[in-house]
Amino acid sequence: MSKQSVRSVNWRSILGILALLGILATVLAYLIFETRGMATRVFGTATAMLVIAYLATGGLGQLQFFRSRKFFKGSASTVYTIVVLAVLVIVNALAAQTNVRWDLTQEGMFTLSDQTVTALQELDEDVFITGFFPEGSSITDEVRSLLREYEYHSPHIHVRFADPEREPALARQYDITRRHTTVVETGGQQRVIGAQNLYDFSGYMGNEPTDIHFRGEQTFTRTILQMTQDLATNLYFVTGHGEADLYDEYASLRSYLQGEGYNPRQWNPARQPEVPEDADILVIAGPSRDLHRQEADTIQAFVEDGGKLIVLAGAAPGEEYRFSNLDALVGNLGIRLRADAVADPSRAYYMDAFSPVPRMDYPPITSKLIDAELLTVLPLSRSMYTDEEIQGEKGYDVKRILFSSPDSWSETNMAQPNPASAETTGVMALGFAVTRPRGDNADSGGDDGDGDMDEPVAVVMGSASFLENDLLGFQGNSDLFVSAVQWLMDRQELISIGPKRPVPRQVFLSPDEGRMIFYGSTLGLPALVLVIGMVVWIRRRNL
């Protein structure tokens, strides 16, 4: 056989071996990965090309060569290499299937908290989690890794992932219109969690956050506990007076609240005179018409019976915007609303004086925003002040939450703002929190100054526009509202699992250590390889 023929046979042999390896790799990729992802497609395409090349070079006619003694002598090392690689791949596949992991990070970045593990082990009903995530996304990898741990710790957790673009029918079944959305189902309930519910943002530079932290464990664990233990809070938004609509201006807020574990609903008192029995909090958001007297009385009775109230007033520049029944309802809390719009040019959002960026008081509600250095913007905000006479009569204690700068003023003509003609200038309150003594605390002299011993009653803010779709994502707007809801329900997070942050670690080397590492890697290692090669060559020559 000529040299050319031997060379041709060797190339065909290599192609055949590579084709066999490709087939093995494709099968393993298909079995290991949950979907037919990029790895399967790459291995499959490469294998098909190798098989075609092998057949095109006359591979079938050379099968006799593989049974020859020459092949076995010349290819022994190749066969050994293939066997070792195959064993390693199979061991790796089996290790992946057994779900045994070691978290070697000091912060436990990839380990579930004890709270989550306990909650999962105590589950007694099935929870189905469907994630609609595109392949190859960093968010997808983060959520998939987390939920695999949930499956590992509880046989009642069932997780599946689907790409909404590849499985549009399934996405339509769940009414999914955005990627990176998760649906949690159990006991006939369904909860939708968006990407905005999985991350904490802080340290803003302009409108861009400088610190982004994954808090998926807190979100998923809280949602599972709320759904399986029926701990969700019901927020009813009052309608019928031109208020913001949960399916229009507040559509993003509705989705966000659902992802945070709340049940936002709407209540029209004209159709249903009584407050729903399962209502925890009533929200009046930016009415353009006054409440009826009977409606205001019904809400007042709800508050006096222990219900919670949030009023988001909205600008009222002039006496024609004064709503007597709404003002009376808020007045009974010890708060008076001005018929105005607050102008604050020194703390204006994008130079709009009527979109003030307020300062914050009262840490029980605002501490999270202050610690994370998150700002809020309150467009078209109304100012307010306290009525100490009503406070003393009703037994309420009113604490300031938000306030404007000393350069602000109360404007009644937004078309021609003029601070010189303003009746009120300087620092003005833009939000209040209302508490009352608890039943067993009424005679004990009040609280410790932070409202911790008093019962939360209501939160009143001057703006309703800050929760609209186009502003909800601004820094701390959504966090401000959720913090107010948590405070009113007299509890912090149902489960407190802070986002895990990797701690950067540095190694400091002395000049001698630095030189040793540099010369050892650039000169020492190559020299060692050269010496080993020469020893092997000399020994072979002496055989």
Side-chain angles (χ1 to χ4, degrees):
M1 186 179 290
S2 65
K3 287 186 177 181
Q4 184 65 29
S5 176
V6 172
R7 188 179 297 114
S8 175
V9 171
N10 287 339
W11 277 111
R12 281 193 290 268
S13 302
I14 293 173
L15 287 173
I17 293 171
L18 291 176
L20 290 174
L21 284 174
I23 293 172
L24 176 61
T26 303
V27 171
L28 288 175
Y30 182 86
L31 293 175
I32 293 171
F33 295 103
E34 295 181 6
T35 59
R36 298 175 186 177
M38 182 62 69
T40 306
R41 291 197 297 271
V42 169
F43 285 133
T45 303
T47 301
M49 295 175 63
L50 288 169
V51 170
I52 293 173
Y54 176 70
L55 296 176
T57 56
L60 291 178
Q62 300 299 325
L63 291 179
Q64 184 66 29
F65 172 79
F66 288 96
R67 295 192 292 268
S68 67
R69 183 178 179 184
K70 185 175 183 180
F71 169 78
F72 284 107
K73 288 183 63 178
S75 305
S77 60
T78 303
V79 172
Y80 295 147
T81 303
I82 294 172
V83 170
V84 171
L85 289 175
V87 169
L88 290 175
V89 170
I90 293 172
V91 169
N92 186 59
L94 293 175
Q97 295 295 327
T98 55
N99 202 10
V100 175
R101 298 178 177 87
W102 291 272
D103 188 350
L104 302 180
T105 61
Q106 184 173 342
E107 300 83 10
M109 294 293 297
F110 309 104
T111 301
L112 296 182
S113 67
D114 293 339
Q115 293 171 291
T116 297
V117 172
T118 300
L120 294 174
Q121 291 175 345
E122 292 177 352
L123 277 179
D124 57 3
E125 56 184 298
D126 288 339
V127 177
F128 299 90
I129 303 176
T130 306
F132 292 90
F133 292 81
E135 289 295 331
S137 165
S138 59
I139 300 178
T140 304
D141 297 337
E142 211 160 14
V143 174
R144 190 193 302 273
S145 176
L146 174 67
L147 292 180
R148 278 179 175 169
E149 293 297 322
Y150 277 62
E151 279 189 305
Y152 175 71
H153 284 92
S154 174
H156 293 288
I157 299 292
H158 308 279
V159 180
R160 64 170 174 171
F161 281 83
D163 190 328
E165 296 179 358
R166 296 181 182 179
E167 301 184 53
L170 184 62
R172 285 194 298 270
Q173 176 183 335
Y174 286 97
D175 195 25
I176 300 299
T177 58
R178 295 183 179 180
R179 300 185 301 175
H180 305 127
T181 300
T182 310
V183 179
V184 182
E185 300 172 284
T186 183
Q189 305 177 69
Q190 185 181 100
R191 188 71 52 79
V192 178
I193 299 173
Q196 71 274 17
N197 303 112
L198 300 178
Y199 290 88
D200 267 341
F201 305 95
S202 61
Y204 277 78
M205 182 174 292
N207 286 330
E208 297 297 324
T210 57
D211 296 314
I212 302 176
H213 305 294
F214 183 63
R215 61 179 179 98
E217 182 183 348
Q218 175 177 328
T219 299
F220 285 116
T221 302
R222 181 192 57 218
T223 299
I224 291 171
L225 286 176
Q226 288 176 333
M227 296 178 72
T228 56
Q229 300 180 15
D230 194 22
L231 297 175
T233 299
N234 298 318
L235 287 79
Y236 278 87
F237 287 71
V238 179
T239 64
H241 317 89
E243 294 92 346
D245 194 315
L246 283 177
Y247 295 88
D248 190 0
E249 305 98 320
Y250 277 12
S252 295
L253 175 64
R254 176 173 58 86
S255 299
Y256 181 77
L257 289 174
Q258 289 173 338
E260 290 295 302
Y262 301 101
N263 293 328
R265 299 167 179 171
Q266 296 192 146
W267 171 56
N268 188 333
R271 297 180 180 178
Q272 182 183 353
E274 299 298 325
V275 176
E277 293 183 359
D278 62 345
D280 295 307
I281 299 176
L282 292 182
V283 183
I284 304 174
S288 58
R289 298 185 299 276
D290 197 7
L291 301 174
H292 293 292
R293 178 62 180 274
Q294 292 180 340
E295 296 171 345
D297 290 343
T298 299
I299 297 173
Q300 178 66 31
F302 170 77
V303 173
E304 291 177 352
D305 288 341
K308 313 301 180 184
L309 177 66
I310 296 178
V311 177
L312 309 175
E319 291 298 323
E320 66 273 19
Y321 292 94
R322 186 178 292 280
F323 301 147
S324 59
N325 293 324
L326 176 63
D327 289 355
L329 175 64
V330 176
N332 284 330
L333 298 171
I335 300 171
R336 297 297 181 186
L337 297 172
R338 293 191 181 95
D340 66 357
V342 175
D344 193 350
S346 67
R347 289 183 63 85
Y349 178 62
Y350 277 108
M351 302 180 66
D352 179 7
F354 292 105
S355 295
V357 178
R359 301 182 187 275
M360 299 181 191
D361 266 342
Y362 199 55
I365 292 179
T366 59
S367 59
K368 178 181 177 181
L369 286 80
I370 294 173
D371 292 343
E373 300 181 354
L374 296 176
L375 301 176
T376 62
V377 58
L378 300 182
L380 303 176
S381 185
R382 197 170 175 179
S383 68
M384 57 193 75
Y385 59 96
T386 59
D387 186 331
E388 295 182 0
E389 182 179 348
I390 295 294
Q391 290 184 54
E393 178 184 333
K394 298 286 187 178
Y396 292 134
D397 187 19
V398 180
K399 302 285 189 181
R400 187 177 65 178
I401 307 173
L402 307 167
F403 61 98
S404 63
S405 77
D407 299 325
S408 63
W409 71 88
S410 173
E411 183 59 66
T412 58
N413 185 359
M414 295 179 65
Q416 297 178 337
N418 182 9
S421 61
E423 294 184 2
T424 305
T425 60
V427 175
M428 291 177 286
L430 304 181
F432 282 119
V434 183
T435 63
R436 60 187 164 205
R438 299 184 188 274
D440 57 357
N441 188 42
D443 300 324
S444 64
D447 61 14
D448 60 2
D450 291 330
D452 293 335
M453 296 176 62
D454 283 350
E455 176 190 356
V457 176
V459 171
V460 180
M461 298 187 197
S463 173
S465 302
F466 77 103
L467 295 177
E468 292 181 357
N469 299 330
D470 55 344
L471 282 173
L472 182 67
F474 176 81
Q475 295 202 17
N477 280 10
S478 59
D479 291 309
L480 175 63
F481 184 78
V482 170
S483 295
V485 171
Q486 290 173 354
W487 176 79
L488 280 174
M489 292 307 298
D490 205 10
R491 63 176 181 233
Q492 297 303 312
E493 284 286 355
L494 179 63
I495 183 166
S496 179
I497 305 171
K500 297 175 180 177
R501 298 171 172 86
V503 178
R505 292 178 174 80
Q506 297 176 330
V507 176
F508 297 96
L509 302 176
S510 66
D512 291 340
E513 292 171 334
R515 284 191 293 268
M516 181 178 67
I517 292 175
F518 174 76
Y519 290 114
S521 59
T522 57
L523 298 178
L525 290 178
L528 178 62
V529 173
L530 180 61
V531 169
I532 293 174
M534 293 180 63
V535 170
V536 173
W537 179 73
I538 292 172
R539 289 193 62 186
R540 286 192 172 185
R541 284 181 58 89
N542 294 332
L543 290 177

